[in-house]
């Protein structure tokens, strides 16, 4: 009863789109979509060039960092939901009672 069992070596790899990580390919895809919606060739070329530039900047930024650097950065710098990002409410680490 001998069977060949495949044991995966990489369970926690980042999502990929072809050869590129999803966080590097997303700006190009978003710029491609916005340029397509613009309807002119010059706007399409400008949006695509901007998307490639942002993508290269992100890839250089995360070059010597953890593979999930972009996800960690988004987690710490963006609010959980737009509805909970109120400037009038204090941060959750302030525990002082008023009244």
């Amino acid at each position: 009863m001998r069977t060949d069992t495949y044991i995966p070596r990489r369970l926690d790899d980042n999502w990929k789109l072809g050869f590129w990580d999803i966080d590097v390919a997303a700006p190009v895809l978003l710029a491609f979509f916005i340029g397509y919606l613009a309807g002119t060739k010059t706007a399409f070329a400008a949006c695509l060039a901007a998307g490639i530039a942002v993508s290269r900047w992100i890839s250089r930024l995360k070059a010597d960092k953890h593979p999930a650097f972009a996800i960690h950065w988004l987690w710490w710098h963006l609010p959980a939901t737009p509805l909970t990002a109120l400037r009038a409410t204090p941060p959750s680490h302030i525990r002082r009672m008023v009244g």
Side-chain angles (χ1 to χ4, degrees), residues 24-49:
V24 175
V28 175
L29 293 176
L30 181 67
F32 183 83
F33 182 68
I34 291 172
Y36 177 74
L37 289 179
T40 63
K41 291 179 184 178
T42 56
F44 180 76
C47 288
L48 200 56

Side-chain angles (χ1 to χ4, degrees), residues 21-89:
D21 291 337
I22 195 71
D23 54 352
V24 175
V28 175
L29 293 176
L30 181 67
F32 183 83
F33 182 68
I34 291 172
Y36 177 74
L37 289 179
T40 63
K41 291 179 184 178
T42 56
F44 180 76
C47 288
L48 200 56
I52 290 171
V54 169
S55 176
R56 288 181 51 95
W57 177 72
I58 289 174
S59 67
R60 287 182 182 165
L61 183 67
K62 67 175 235 168
D64 293 332
K65 294 178 177 61
H66 189 271
F69 169 75
I71 295 170
H72 293 156
W73 188 91
L74 291 172
W75 174 265
W76 285 106
H77 290 90
L78 294 179
T81 63
L83 299 176
T84 61
L86 302 175
R87 295 192 185 273
T89 57

Side-chain angles (χ1 to χ4, degrees), residues 6-15:
Y6 174 72
I7 300 172
R9 293 184 290 156
R10 295 181 224 95
L11 292 176
D12 294 330
D13 277 351
N14 289 337
W15 289 8

